[in-house]
Amino acid sequence: MRMSSGPARRFVLAGLAAVMATGRQARAAGLPEVAVTKDPNCGCCGKWVTHLREAGFTVTVTEGPVDPVKARLGVPRDLASCHTAQVGGYVVEGHVPAGAIKRLLAEQPKATGLAVPGMPIGSPGMEVDGIEPDTYDVVLFGPETRSVFARYRGAELA
Ligand SMILES: [Cu+2]
Protein backbone atom coordinates (compact mmCIF):
# COMPACT_ATOMS: atom_id res chain seq x y z
CA MET A 1 0.00 0.00 0.00
CA ARG A 2 2.71 2.44 1.03
CA MET A 3 4.83 1.56 -1.96
CA SER A 4 2.07 2.29 -4.48
CA SER A 5 0.79 5.50 -2.93
CA GLY A 6 3.74 7.55 -4.18
CA PRO A 7 3.44 6.80 -7.88
CA ALA A 8 -0.38 6.89 -7.70
CA ARG A 9 -0.27 10.34 -6.20
CA ARG A 10 2.19 11.56 -8.80
CA PHE A 11 -0.14 10.23 -11.48
CA VAL A 12 -3.09 12.17 -10.05
CA LEU A 13 -1.01 15.34 -9.77
CA ALA A 14 0.18 14.95 -13.35
CA GLY A 15 -3.45 14.59 -14.41
CA LEU A 16 -4.41 17.74 -12.54
CA ALA A 17 -1.55 19.64 -14.13
CA ALA A 18 -2.69 18.50 -17.57
CA VAL A 19 -6.26 19.66 -16.89
CA MET A 20 -5.01 23.02 -15.68
CA ALA A 21 -2.76 23.39 -18.72
CA THR A 22 -5.72 22.69 -21.00
CA GLY A 23 -7.71 25.40 -19.22
CA ARG A 24 -4.88 27.86 -19.68
CA GLN A 25 -4.64 27.07 -23.38
CA ALA A 26 -8.36 27.74 -23.83
CA ARG A 27 -8.07 31.09 -22.09
CA ALA A 28 -4.91 31.94 -23.96
CA ALA A 29 -6.71 31.26 -27.22
CA GLY A 30 -9.41 33.71 -26.10
CA LEU A 31 -12.26 31.27 -26.60
CA PRO A 32 -15.45 32.38 -24.87
CA GLU A 33 -17.47 29.87 -22.88
CA VAL A 34 -20.14 27.88 -24.71
CA ALA A 35 -23.50 27.55 -22.91
CA VAL A 36 -25.42 24.55 -24.23
CA THR A 37 -29.06 23.65 -23.62
CA LYS A 38 -29.93 20.02 -24.31
CA ASP A 39 -32.48 17.40 -23.46
CA PRO A 40 -31.14 15.14 -20.69
CA ASN A 41 -31.77 12.07 -22.88
CA CYS A 42 -29.96 13.39 -25.96
CA GLY A 43 -26.86 11.26 -26.54
CA CYS A 44 -25.63 12.96 -29.71
CA CYS A 45 -25.88 16.33 -27.94
CA GLY A 46 -23.51 15.05 -25.25
CA LYS A 47 -21.08 13.81 -27.89
CA TRP A 48 -21.11 17.27 -29.52
CA VAL A 49 -20.25 18.81 -26.12
CA THR A 50 -17.27 16.43 -25.94
CA HIS A 51 -16.22 17.52 -29.45
CA LEU A 52 -16.23 21.17 -28.35
CA ARG A 53 -14.24 20.42 -25.19
CA GLU A 54 -11.66 18.50 -27.20
CA ALA A 55 -11.37 21.55 -29.45
CA GLY A 56 -10.46 23.70 -26.40
CA PHE A 57 -13.81 25.25 -25.51
CA THR A 58 -15.08 25.50 -21.96
CA VAL A 59 -18.70 24.27 -22.08
CA THR A 60 -21.51 24.58 -19.56
CA VAL A 61 -24.57 22.38 -20.05
CA THR A 62 -28.16 23.12 -19.00
CA GLU A 63 -30.54 20.19 -19.32
CA GLY A 64 -34.17 20.91 -20.08
CA PRO A 65 -36.67 21.64 -22.85
CA VAL A 66 -34.92 23.09 -25.90
CA ASP A 67 -37.87 24.44 -27.92
CA PRO A 68 -38.50 27.51 -25.71
CA VAL A 69 -34.77 28.32 -25.89
CA LYS A 70 -34.77 28.11 -29.69
CA ALA A 71 -37.83 30.40 -29.85
CA ARG A 72 -36.30 32.91 -27.45
CA LEU A 73 -32.98 33.01 -29.31
CA GLY A 74 -34.52 33.36 -32.77
CA VAL A 75 -33.65 29.99 -34.28
CA PRO A 76 -35.87 29.57 -37.36
CA ARG A 77 -37.94 26.38 -37.21
CA ASP A 78 -36.58 25.00 -40.45
CA LEU A 79 -32.99 25.38 -39.20
CA ALA A 80 -33.69 23.61 -35.91
CA SER A 81 -31.71 20.63 -34.64
CA CYS A 82 -31.40 18.89 -31.29
CA HIS A 83 -29.36 21.17 -28.99
CA THR A 84 -28.94 24.96 -28.89
CA ALA A 85 -25.90 26.87 -27.66
CA GLN A 86 -24.79 30.44 -27.03
CA VAL A 87 -21.21 31.62 -27.42
CA GLY A 88 -19.71 35.09 -27.69
CA GLY A 89 -23.07 36.71 -28.39
CA TYR A 90 -23.96 34.21 -31.11
CA VAL A 91 -26.41 31.31 -31.27
CA VAL A 92 -25.12 27.91 -32.38
CA GLU A 93 -27.84 25.45 -33.41
CA GLY A 94 -27.14 21.75 -33.82
CA HIS A 95 -24.01 19.81 -34.72
CA VAL A 96 -21.86 22.74 -35.87
CA PRO A 97 -18.17 21.77 -36.10
CA ALA A 98 -15.88 23.55 -33.60
CA GLY A 99 -13.77 24.88 -36.47
CA ALA A 100 -16.74 26.77 -37.89
CA ILE A 101 -17.48 28.29 -34.45
CA LYS A 102 -13.86 29.45 -34.10
CA ARG A 103 -14.03 31.06 -37.54
CA LEU A 104 -17.35 32.75 -36.59
CA LEU A 105 -15.77 34.18 -33.44
CA ALA A 106 -12.71 35.37 -35.37
CA GLU A 107 -14.62 36.97 -38.24
CA GLN A 108 -17.51 38.42 -36.16
CA PRO A 109 -20.08 38.65 -38.99
CA LYS A 110 -23.33 40.49 -38.36
CA ALA A 111 -25.69 37.56 -37.74
CA THR A 112 -27.68 35.71 -35.12
CA GLY A 113 -25.47 32.67 -35.46
CA LEU A 114 -24.73 29.36 -37.14
CA ALA A 115 -26.96 26.33 -37.69
CA VAL A 116 -26.60 22.80 -38.95
CA PRO A 117 -30.26 21.87 -39.45
CA GLY A 118 -31.39 18.34 -38.70
CA MET A 119 -28.71 15.90 -37.66
CA PRO A 120 -26.41 15.02 -40.59
CA ILE A 121 -24.67 11.67 -40.28
CA GLY A 122 -20.98 12.15 -39.57
CA SER A 123 -21.25 15.70 -38.23
CA PRO A 124 -19.44 16.07 -34.87
CA GLY A 125 -21.39 13.99 -32.34
CA MET A 126 -23.36 12.20 -35.08
CA GLU A 127 -20.69 9.75 -36.20
CA VAL A 128 -22.10 6.31 -37.04
CA ASP A 129 -19.69 3.41 -37.48
CA GLY A 130 -19.74 1.98 -40.96
CA ILE A 131 -21.92 4.72 -42.48
CA GLU A 132 -20.48 7.27 -44.91
CA PRO A 133 -20.67 10.85 -43.58
CA ASP A 134 -23.12 13.29 -45.16
CA THR A 135 -22.09 16.49 -46.87
CA TYR A 136 -23.93 19.39 -45.24
CA ASP A 137 -24.01 23.18 -45.00
CA VAL A 138 -23.25 25.29 -41.96
CA VAL A 139 -25.77 28.11 -42.34
CA LEU A 140 -25.09 31.66 -41.16
CA PHE A 141 -28.47 33.10 -40.23
CA GLY A 142 -30.02 36.33 -39.04
CA PRO A 143 -33.59 37.46 -38.58
CA GLU A 144 -33.95 37.98 -42.34
CA THR A 145 -30.75 36.67 -43.87
CA ARG A 146 -29.17 33.31 -44.59
CA SER A 147 -26.01 32.23 -46.32
CA VAL A 148 -23.79 29.18 -46.54
CA PHE A 149 -20.95 29.85 -44.09
CA ALA A 150 -19.14 26.57 -44.72
CA ARG A 151 -19.69 23.17 -46.24
CA TYR A 152 -18.50 20.06 -44.43
CA ARG A 153 -18.32 16.38 -45.11
CA GLY A 154 -18.38 14.66 -41.73
CA ALA A 155 -15.98 16.58 -39.50
CA GLU A 156 -13.88 17.95 -42.40
CA LEU A 157 -14.37 20.91 -44.72
CA ALA A 158 -15.87 19.61 -47.97
CU1 LIG B 1 -28.03 15.64 -32.32
Side-chain angles (χ1 to χ4, degrees):
M1 213 41 203
R2 255 194 103 109
M3 303 232 337
S4 66
S5 68
R9 199 160 101 173
R10 273 199 297 279
F11 180 75
V12 168
L13 289 174
L16 270 176
V19 167
M20 288 162 73
T22 306
R24 273 198 300 276
Q25 276 164 16
R27 279 195 294 281
L31 291 174
E33 189 173 290
V34 184
V36 178
T37 304
K38 68 181 266 299
D39 184 278
N41 298 312
C42 180
C44 59
C45 302
K47 288 182 181 171
W48 183 72
V49 168
T50 301
H51 163 73
L52 292 191
R53 286 181 174 144
E54 286 173 356
F57 283 98
T58 300
V59 184
T60 60
V61 176
T62 303
E63 299 200 319
V66 291
D67 287 346
V69 177
K70 295 182 200 303
R72 177 166 58 81
L73 297 178
V75 177
R77 278 173 178 273
D78 63 311
L79 295 184
S81 178
C82 37
H83 50 264
T84 303
Q86 291 174 273
V87 57
Y90 289 103
V91 176
V92 174
E93 174 69 13
H95 290 265
V96 178
I101 300 172
K102 288 179 179 175
R103 196 186 125 205
L104 175 81
L105 295 170
E107 294 182 0
Q108 295 281 310
K110 193 174 176 299
T112 303
L114 294 177
V116 170
M119 299 203 283
I121 298 293
S123 58
M126 278 298 297
E127 300 85 354
V128 182
D129 272 352
I131 300 188
E132 285 287 290
D134 290 336
T135 298
Y136 57 94
D137 290 339
V138 178
V139 179
L140 182 75
F141 69 95
E144 273 135 41
T145 56
R146 280 178 199 199
S147 60
V148 175
F149 185 73
R151 181 162 292 160
Y152 278 76
R153 183 171 185 276
E156 308 294 327
L157 281 166

Short mmCIF file of all heavy atoms in Angstrom, two decimals, residues 42 44-45 81-83 95 118-119 125-126, ligand 1:
data_model
loop_
_atom_site.label_atom_id
_atom_site.label_comp_id
_atom_site.label_asym_id
_atom_site.label_seq_id
_atom_site.Cartn_x
_atom_site.Cartn_y
_atom_site.Cartn_z
N CYS A 42 -30.55 13.27 -24.63
CA CYS A 42 -29.96 13.39 -25.96
C CYS A 42 -28.50 12.95 -25.94
O CYS A 42 -27.63 13.66 -25.43
CB CYS A 42 -30.06 14.83 -26.46
SG CYS A 42 -29.37 15.04 -28.11
N CYS A 44 -26.47 12.29 -28.71
CA CYS A 44 -25.63 12.96 -29.71
C CYS A 44 -25.28 14.37 -29.26
O CYS A 44 -24.21 14.89 -29.57
CB CYS A 44 -26.28 12.94 -31.10
SG CYS A 44 -27.90 13.74 -31.19
N CYS A 45 -26.17 15.00 -28.48
CA CYS A 45 -25.88 16.33 -27.94
C CYS A 45 -24.66 16.26 -27.01
O CYS A 45 -23.77 17.12 -27.05
CB CYS A 45 -27.06 16.85 -27.13
SG CYS A 45 -28.60 16.96 -28.06
N SER A 81 -32.34 21.93 -34.85
CA SER A 81 -31.71 20.63 -34.64
C SER A 81 -32.01 20.18 -33.22
O SER A 81 -33.04 20.59 -32.65
CB SER A 81 -30.20 20.74 -34.90
OG SER A 81 -29.57 19.49 -34.67
N CYS A 82 -31.13 19.40 -32.62
CA CYS A 82 -31.40 18.89 -31.29
C CYS A 82 -31.05 19.92 -30.21
O CYS A 82 -31.92 20.38 -29.49
CB CYS A 82 -30.66 17.56 -31.07
SG CYS A 82 -29.03 17.48 -31.84
N HIS A 83 -29.76 20.27 -30.07
CA HIS A 83 -29.36 21.17 -28.99
C HIS A 83 -29.15 22.60 -29.51
O HIS A 83 -28.99 22.82 -30.71
CB HIS A 83 -28.07 20.67 -28.34
CG HIS A 83 -27.02 20.38 -29.36
ND1 HIS A 83 -26.82 19.10 -29.84
CD2 HIS A 83 -26.16 21.17 -30.03
CE1 HIS A 83 -25.86 19.13 -30.75
NE2 HIS A 83 -25.44 20.38 -30.88
N HIS A 95 -25.34 20.43 -34.72
CA HIS A 95 -24.01 19.81 -34.72
C HIS A 95 -23.00 20.60 -35.54
O HIS A 95 -22.39 20.09 -36.47
CB HIS A 95 -24.12 18.37 -35.21
CG HIS A 95 -24.81 17.47 -34.25
ND1 HIS A 95 -24.12 16.69 -33.34
CD2 HIS A 95 -26.12 17.26 -34.00
CE1 HIS A 95 -24.99 16.02 -32.61
NE2 HIS A 95 -26.21 16.34 -32.98
N GLY A 118 -31.27 19.79 -38.75
CA GLY A 118 -31.39 18.34 -38.70
C GLY A 118 -30.21 17.73 -37.96
O GLY A 118 -29.65 18.37 -37.07
N MET A 119 -29.83 16.56 -38.30
CA MET A 119 -28.71 15.90 -37.66
C MET A 119 -27.95 15.08 -38.70
O MET A 119 -28.10 13.86 -38.77
CB MET A 119 -29.18 15.01 -36.51
CG MET A 119 -29.91 15.77 -35.43
SD MET A 119 -29.90 14.95 -33.85
CE MET A 119 -31.15 13.73 -34.13
N GLY A 125 -20.41 14.52 -33.28
CA GLY A 125 -21.39 13.99 -32.34
C GLY A 125 -22.40 13.06 -33.00
O GLY A 125 -23.15 12.37 -32.31
N MET A 126 -22.40 13.04 -34.34
CA MET A 126 -23.36 12.20 -35.08
C MET A 126 -22.64 11.12 -35.90
O MET A 126 -23.19 10.63 -36.88
CB MET A 126 -24.20 13.07 -36.02
CG MET A 126 -25.38 13.75 -35.34
SD MET A 126 -26.59 12.58 -34.67
CE MET A 126 -27.14 11.79 -36.18
CU CU B 1 -28.03 15.64 -32.32
#
